[in-house]
Amino acid sequence: EDQVTQSPEALRLQEGESSSLNCSYTVSGLRGLFWYRQDPGKGPEFLFTLYSAGEEKEKERLKATLTKKESFLHITAPKPEDSATYLCAVQTGGATNKLIFGTGTLLAVQP
Amino acid sequence: NAGVTQTPKFQVLKTGQSMTLQCAQDMNHNSMYWYRQDPGMGLRLIYYSASEGTTDKGEVPNGYNVSRLNKREFSLRLESAAPSQTSVYFCASRLQGAADTQYFGPGTRLTVL
């Protein structure tokens, strides 16, 4: 069964304290791995897509990496405005291109 | 360019009532999706429409129906609401190309009493 697991469930950081969020997956035929950011009361906002092991993408203080079994979202010197829930999703093979989501990591960055 | 819009933002229903959630996108996307988000469960796919004129069931379709009205609009209907359908509902759309990214609307928070 296709599955996506995110850890930790919640993470509290001090401003400037770098860390990483993990997304591990077991799927039959990965077509892509997506990271989204979700603020309270809002819809998920797209951050990155990764397609193959070894791929890396960066945006401001965020860097996403992908291996054959997991992805990491590295947050360098976070600021309070980085506080949000970060969602990971995988797209499996087939014509329907369905996404399977993890339950997210709630990140709180304290000033 | 509004992206994906959803109406209403909030709704309270009594058990057995019906309602339709509306979704529209102005990005000329081919595929559209309905998800529900519950605490500790993650986003789960209810129904999707790969292209205009087609709809298919997702992971949790029971109690819901959908209509792809045209390329822009995709509605979700609850015929007889149940408390188990209390959730936040998100609509998403996707161009259907190499990027394969789904873009989400702001959500509808539904409470069924």
Side-chain angles (χ1 to χ4, degrees), chain B:
Chain B
N1 191 341
V4 180
T5 57
Q6 294 182 236
T7 56
K9 292 187 186 302
F10 302 94
Q11 184 71 48
V12 178
L13 294 178
K14 295 181 180 179
T15 297
Q17 288 185 317
S18 63
M19 78 161 295
T20 300
L21 282 66
Q22 305 288 353
C23 174
Q25 52 90 10
D26 63 1
M27 297 178 283
N28 200 35
H29 285 176
N30 296 310
S31 302
M32 298 184 73
Y33 306 80
W34 276 106
Y35 292 88
R36 60 178 290 172
Q37 186 175 41
D38 303 291
M41 298 290 291
L43 283 153
R44 291 182 293 168
L45 183 64
I46 304 171
Y47 270 94
Y48 65 97
S49 171
S51 60
E52 187 178 354
T54 68
T55 60
D56 283 289
K57 296 178 180 179
E59 180 185 356
V60 288
N62 291 345
Y64 305 96
N65 285 300
V66 290
S67 295
R68 183 75 183 267
L69 305 172
N70 48 54
K71 190 172 186 178
R72 289 186 63 248
E73 299 173 287
F74 188 39
S75 63
L76 179 71
R77 183 161 178 83
L78 287 70
E79 290 290 351
S80 179
S84 61
Q85 294 178 305
T86 293
S87 187
V88 182
Y89 292 86
F90 290 100
C91 177
S93 70
R94 186 178 71 88
L95 180 59
Q96 198 169 32
D100 285 335
T101 299
Q102 290 187 23
Y103 294 92
F104 285 80
T108 294
R109 183 173 294 273
L110 174 67
T111 301
V112 183
L113 302 175

